[in-house]
Amino acid sequence: MADLDAQDLNRVASSAYSDALQVIASVEPRIAEATRQELADQRGSLKLIASENYASPAVLLTMGTWFSDKYAEGTIGHRFYAGCQNVDTVEALAAEHARELFGAEYAYAQPHSGIDANLVAFWSILAHRVEGPWLEKAAKKNVNELTDADWEALRRELGDQRLLGMSLDAGGHLTHGFRPNISGKMFHQRQYGTDPTTGLLDYDALAAKAREFKPLVLVAGYSAYPRRVNFAKMREIADEVGATLMVDMAHFAGLVAGKVFTGDEDPVPHAHIVTTTTHKSLRGPRGGLVLATEEYAPSVDRGCPMVLGGPLSHVMAAKAVALAEARRPEFQTYAQQVADNAQSLAEGFVKRGADLVTGGTDNHLVLLDVSSFGLTGRQAESALLDAGVVTNRNSVPADPNGAWYTSGIRLGTPALTTRGFGHDEFDRVAELMVDVLSNTQPGTTKDGKPSKASYVLADGVADRVKDASAELLDKHPLYPGLELV
Ligand code: PLP
């Protein structure tokens, strides 16, 4: 089918969704209603969650098909089920788009999510670096030849490995060695943080820690660090201590795809393995992806059955569509705007006296320290939500309020940039947020003690901010022209 122009696309999408909701309502009307309501809610709020976006109708529609019904354990052309010829086409296209977009030697499109992509990466590093040499030493061709005693010995080797990742409160992710996560249990772990004065990564301190700890895996990447990372330096550190460099670019994959992060800031030429989600700044379906060098490709390809079961073929199809979109020149314009808008948002806060971790941003996210408003992250998140501003609370480095109440609010620009917000709108968003936060007081518990959760938002502020947001949102509608009947 030929390319649809924007108007035709909205007309066709409107009828596709309206018809689909009618089909759903014929079985469970409450699900159809919740789906309509979700669109209305997303249209009517300022979405600033840094890990969320709005995928295109093409991406969303691709997920609602009969590919969902197909089992396809295995790899392209080598499946444990019959009849996978179309899944092969889909997976090969998703991998091809990913390789081309990111300039990667190898791409694996099966992980169902970011956490799955990281598990695939960890186990493929262990398989490549530990199991492979161990099998060779034991003169065994593969794991099927191992006796119980061999297994015991191999398990000890695998369980004796070390991982160095960024700590959660410095902006790392749970899967980078946080103790309650499996990554913090399967490896002996140690964490690196940021400089206590500047809030920035300190590569010398990190190198010293790596020299002392000698990890098998050095993990770079973050969920809440508002700055760029020098992956060439990370690779130097990994090489010096013999570690595999794994970069989790889940948050900033869109900025890599859109060529905002190039050279030393592009992880792909520097890392052995790169993992990502596809649904954050990359603006695809919920899912994961692993990119690897040729050297690691065979072990990454063992993702199923190593840690995955049947791939979600309908989601792999949607990944292919989203990656094809990200290869278009418009995506580069979008990605640059995401970064520019984050600057505008940060400047909007700084000029109004708010406190930002690291003092600003040079990626897609801003970490606002709300302790200067006398609030916890939990109180700030709730008050903002009352005013129609959707954010999430987040720890700041050395957070006195811990990971539950926190002292921070993490904000990202990918979603509202998709709606067409630019500099002026993000400056206004900062103004509205400061209005809410400076009119919120911490509350008390039932027995009158200071509370980290309850809060009092001054009368009239929520409505004032909602009205002002509505003006911005109406100017930049979500899925313009998409009307449900
Ligand atoms: N890695 C990073 C850096 C993330 O920020 C996240 C999600 O927030 C994940 C991995 C996990 O992704 P998912 O929720 O798809 O499992």
Side-chain angles (χ1 to χ4, degrees):
M1 193 160 75
D3 267 1
L4 294 168
D5 69 23
Q7 214 178 355
D8 279 348
L9 199 136
N10 290 326
R11 184 180 45 77
V12 175
S14 299
S15 100
Y17 281 113
S18 300
D19 291 350
L21 286 171
Q22 236 182 305
V23 174
I24 296 164
S26 72
V27 180
E28 179 43 291
R30 289 169 297 182
I31 292 295
E33 192 40 46
T35 308
R36 284 176 185 274
Q37 190 56 46
E38 181 60 23
L39 178 61
D41 289 354
Q42 292 206 22
R43 280 179 157 167
S45 56
L46 284 174
K47 171 147 97 171
L48 286 152
I49 294 185
S51 49
E52 293 187 9
N53 210 326
Y54 304 106
S56 70
V59 168
L60 297 178
L61 285 166
T62 307
M63 281 186 281
T65 77
W66 26 92
F67 270 122
S68 172
D69 299 329
K70 189 74 196 94
Y71 246 108
E73 282 177 24
T75 49
I76 302 165
H78 188 78
R79 307 279 182 187
F80 291 89
Y81 287 79
C84 295
Q85 60 283 356
N86 299 310
V87 179
D88 281 348
T89 303
V90 159
E91 186 172 349
L93 275 170
E96 179 188 314
H97 281 307
R99 282 194 311 272
E100 294 293 326
L101 176 65
F102 292 110
E105 289 175 13
Y106 172 78
Y108 185 63
Q110 292 195 20
H112 310 331
S113 66
I115 203 166
D116 283 3
N118 286 349
L119 278 178
V120 168
F122 291 144
W123 280 105
S124 54
I125 294 166
L126 288 170
H128 180 67
R129 297 278 312 270
V130 183
E131 180 189 288
W134 193 90
L135 287 171
E136 211 171 296
K137 223 165 47 193
K140 300 282 161 71
K141 275 205 213 73
N142 59 49
V143 287
N144 299 330
E145 293 186 358
L146 299 187
T147 63
D148 285 353
D150 288 336
W151 267 117
E152 284 281 304
L154 176 55
R155 247 185 244 123
R156 269 197 303 276
E157 293 270 334
L158 292 171
D160 212 21
Q161 301 304 325
R162 297 169 175 205
L163 174 143
L164 180 61
M166 193 176 200
S167 69
L168 201 60
D169 75 344
H173 188 253
L174 296 171
T175 53
H176 300 179
F178 186 53
R179 282 228 193 271
N181 182 262
I182 190 163
S183 59
K185 301 188 200 310
M186 65 192 270
F187 289 103
H188 296 287
Q189 56 81 263
R190 211 167 280 178
Q191 307 262 280
Y192 59 87
T194 45
D195 181 279
T197 337
T198 60
L200 299 173
L201 263 175
D202 177 346
Y203 295 95
D204 292 337
L206 168 52
K209 201 169 253 193
R211 270 180 221 120
E212 191 229 315
F213 186 54
K214 299 211 173 7
L216 176 83
V217 190
L218 173 62
V219 184
Y222 52 79
S223 296
Y225 179 66
R227 296 290 174 177
R228 301 184 184 196
V229 174
N230 184 325
F231 296 110
K233 268 197 194 152
M234 285 287 190
R235 177 60 185 259
E236 265 173 41
I237 297 169
D239 282 348
E240 189 191 329
V241 300
T244 297
L245 177 62
M246 168 180 156
V247 177
D248 177 352
M249 64 169 182
H251 255 265
F252 54 90
L255 300 190
V256 178
K259 312 284 180 249
V260 178
F261 291 1
T262 55
D264 292 352
E265 293 163 355
D266 176 354
V268 181
H270 303 292
H272 298 94
I273 297 200
V274 176
T275 59
T276 186
T277 54
T278 44
H279 49 271
K280 303 186 205 282
S281 54
L282 195 51
R283 210 164 60 181
R286 304 199 72 78
L289 204 60
V290 181
L291 309 174
T293 55
E294 290 292 355
E295 184 194 354
Y296 282 82
S299 59
V300 171
D301 230 15
R302 287 170 54 195
C304 167
M306 205 158 43
V307 289
L308 300 173
L312 309 177
S313 304
H314 56 309
V315 181
M316 290 199 297
K319 286 175 196 171
V321 173
L323 291 162
E325 286 178 348
R327 290 182 67 189
R328 294 178 170 174
E330 305 89 276
F331 195 84
Q332 296 190 12
T333 312
Y334 163 72
Q336 187 57 55
Q337 193 63 53
V338 166
D340 293 348
N341 284 343
Q343 290 281 347
S344 305
L345 184 64
E347 284 160 15
F349 282 119
V350 170
K351 77 181 184 201
R352 293 177 176 91
D355 196 7
L356 302 183
V357 173
T358 78
T361 178
D362 49 31
N363 56 20
H364 65 296
L365 69 86
V366 169
L367 191 55
L368 178 63
D369 186 337
V370 291
S371 53
S372 57
F373 293 96
L375 300 171
T376 64
R378 172 96 189 261
Q379 290 161 330
E381 177 193 87
S382 304
L384 288 165
L385 188 62
D386 289 350
V389 185
V390 189
T391 64
N392 70 285
R393 63 187 186 278
N394 206 102
S395 314
V396 300
D399 200 314
N401 288 320
W404 179 250
Y405 292 109
T406 82
S407 304
I409 287 288
R410 188 186 64 165
L411 307 164
T413 54
L416 291 179
T417 304
T418 295
R419 284 182 80 138
F421 277 44
H423 169 82
D424 293 350
E425 288 86 351
F426 273 100
D427 182 58
R428 182 83 170 120
V429 168
E431 186 183 7
L432 295 174
M433 287 183 65
V434 169
D435 189 10
V436 174
L437 296 173
S438 52
N439 282 297
T440 303
Q441 299 294 324
T444 50
T445 60
K446 276 191 202 119
D447 43 7
K449 298 204 176 96
S451 165
K452 290 186 175 186
S454 67
Y455 61 96
V456 182
L457 176 58
D459 284 348
V461 178
D463 286 342
R464 176 166 84 218
V465 169
K466 275 185 185 164
D467 288 347
S469 305
E471 269 179 42
L472 298 177
L473 294 165
D474 289 349
K475 222 165 66 184
H476 299 285
L478 173 61
Y479 305 123
L482 196 153
E483 305 278 353
L484 297 180
V485 290

